[in-house]
Amino acid sequence: MKTLVLILALLLAHRASAQVLIVSNARIEAPVPKQVEKPRPTFKQPVPRSSLEITLLDAHNRVRASRGLHPYRLNPTLTHVADDCARFAASVGSFTHTPWGRSIGQRVASAGYSFATCGENGAGDWTDSSGRIYPNMPNDPVSGWLQSPGHAREVLSREHTEAGFAMRRQPNGYRWYVAVYARPTRPGGYL
C-alpha cells in the first residue's frame, strides 16, 4: 500500500511531464493536458473599420435600403480578399477578376471563408486622353457599378449578406477600388 501511495505521489508530482507510468504490470496513465483551440473571429468580436470601409459600406447600404434590400455586414476576411485584389491592380496598373490566375471563389475559399455565394466588383479612377486623373470619391464606385448590369447585380444581390472593401493607390496616385460580396455557409463564414 505504501508503494502505491508513493507511486501516486510521484505521478501527481510529475503529472505535466509524465505520460505513462508502469507499476507491477499495471498501466497508470497520467492525464494529458487538453490543448485549447483558439476561437475563430466572429462578428460578435469588434472589427476595426477604416473610414473607406465605412463609407463604401454605407453607400452600398443606402442604395440597398432604397430598394428594400437587407444591409450588407462588413466581414474582415472579405476585406482582406478585396485588399489583395486592389493591391494586385495597383501593382500591374489594371483590374482583373483573376489576379494570380485565381477566380474570386478560389481566393475567398483560400482565405478560409466558407461561402454559398460570392462576387466581386472593381473600379479605378477616371482618366482623360492626356492621362490626367479624375479621382473617384468613395461613393462614386458604387454609382458607377449601378450603371452596369453585371456590377449592379452584385451591389443589389439578394443572395449576398456580407461584404469587404479596399482601395489601393498606384505610385502616380491612381486608385483602385474593390468590393467582395458573399453569403457564408455558417455564421462568420469561417471554415
Side-chain angles (χ1 to χ4, degrees), residues 77-90:
T77 301
L78 298 179
T79 295
H80 176 75
V81 173
D83 188 57
D84 281 348
C85 187
R87 189 170 0 106
F88 181 88

Side-chain angles (χ1 to χ4, degrees), residues 43-120:
F43 284 110
K44 293 178 183 171
Q45 297 173 343
V47 176
R49 297 179 176 177
S50 72
S51 60
L52 172 80
E53 289 170 312
I54 292 169
T55 301
L56 287 173
L57 180 66
D58 287 347
H60 276 77
N61 286 340
R62 275 194 308 278
V63 170
R64 293 177 64 77
S66 74
R67 311 263 173 107
L69 300 169
H70 63 271
Y72 281 138
R73 291 183 309 263
L74 191 62
N75 180 285
T77 301
L78 298 179
T79 295
H80 176 75
V81 173
D83 188 57
D84 281 348
C85 187
R87 189 170 0 106
F88 181 88
S91 71
V92 300
S94 66
F95 179 81
T96 177
H97 288 289
T98 55
W100 307 284
R102 303 182 70 215
S103 72
I104 182 60
Q106 291 169 321
R107 290 181 280 126
V108 169
S110 71
Y113 185 100
S114 177
F115 64 91
T117 65
C118 71
E120 172 180 63

